[in-house]
Amino acid sequence: MSFADIESQNKKRKTRRELFLERMDRHIPWSVLVKKLKAHYSKGRVGRPPYPLEMMLRIHCMQRFYNLSDPGMEDALYEIESLRRFAGLRLGDRIPDETPILNVRHFLEEDPRGEKLFKEINASLGDHDLRGCLEINRVMA
């Protein structure tokens, strides 16, 4: 455990971002997403090993929540502790750069399974007053 982890545990209150991310974490069925997409995710046979699918799905969702570009998401992971925590990362971990973030975004936006799956999840989030949080846009900012 790093000093930053210890410091964040002893905070007196949670930010609105932390509360929102906790709420999304409770209502998004990560295991269902991973199960349905795992067979089509990179196996890492060539090049550097892929990041875990659930981590990359969480990063992709945060990109949608906060309308961040791929380089913007990379920067946010370095700068904002609550986003790293939501993704399952610590500051000392290998943080994805914009290329794997781009690759996963393309995988999810171009594959009909990814788009269909997120539409289903987004519909279920509507029951919790979170409609529209995971809409996948074809055009990036």
Side-chain angles (χ1 to χ4, degrees):
M1 188 174 261
S2 71
F3 288 119
D5 294 332
I6 294 168
E7 187 176 317
S8 70
Q9 286 180 345
N10 294 327
K11 287 188 342 184
K12 299 220 186 265
R13 76 170 191 88
K14 293 182 180 182
T15 64
R16 288 185 297 275
R17 177 184 289 132
E18 289 170 316
L19 293 171
F20 173 75
L21 291 174
E22 285 178 3
R23 189 172 178 200
M24 295 307 291
D25 195 30
R26 281 193 310 272
H27 296 298
I28 297 175
W30 299 110
S31 57
V32 172
L33 289 168
V34 170
K35 185 178 178 182
K36 290 186 176 186
L37 296 172
K38 190 171 187 162
H40 309 285
Y41 187 61
S42 173
K43 307 289 188 272
R45 295 187 179 121
V46 178
R48 60 184 168 181
Y51 289 93
L53 177 57
E54 183 173 336
M55 175 198 308
M56 297 307 292
L57 288 171
R58 288 171 174 270
I59 290 170
H60 180 75
C61 288
M62 286 187 292
Q63 246 187 314
R64 302 281 53 86
F65 300 157
Y66 300 111
N67 195 27
L68 296 169
S69 65
D70 301 326
M73 187 69 235
E74 177 186 357
D75 289 346
L77 288 170
Y78 276 101
E79 295 172 352
I80 305 170
E81 190 270 333
S82 59
L83 297 186
R84 281 192 307 275
R85 194 171 348 118
F86 183 80
L89 291 164
R90 291 187 174 166
L91 192 55
D93 291 343
R94 186 173 66 111
I95 294 179
D97 62 30
E98 64 183 274
T99 301
I101 293 170
L102 167 88
N103 292 338
V104 169
R105 182 171 55 80
H106 284 174
F107 165 67
L108 292 171
E109 291 175 350
E110 294 169 1
D111 190 304
R113 288 176 294 267
E115 188 170 351
K116 181 181 175 196
L117 187 61
F118 277 104
K119 282 182 180 178
E120 291 172 18
I121 300 300
N122 204 35
S124 73
L125 288 175
D127 297 337
H128 301 286
D129 219 13
L130 296 167
R131 186 177 321 276
C133 290
L134 288 177
E135 288 180 4
I136 296 180
N137 302 317
R138 294 263 181 222
V139 179
M140 289 298 296

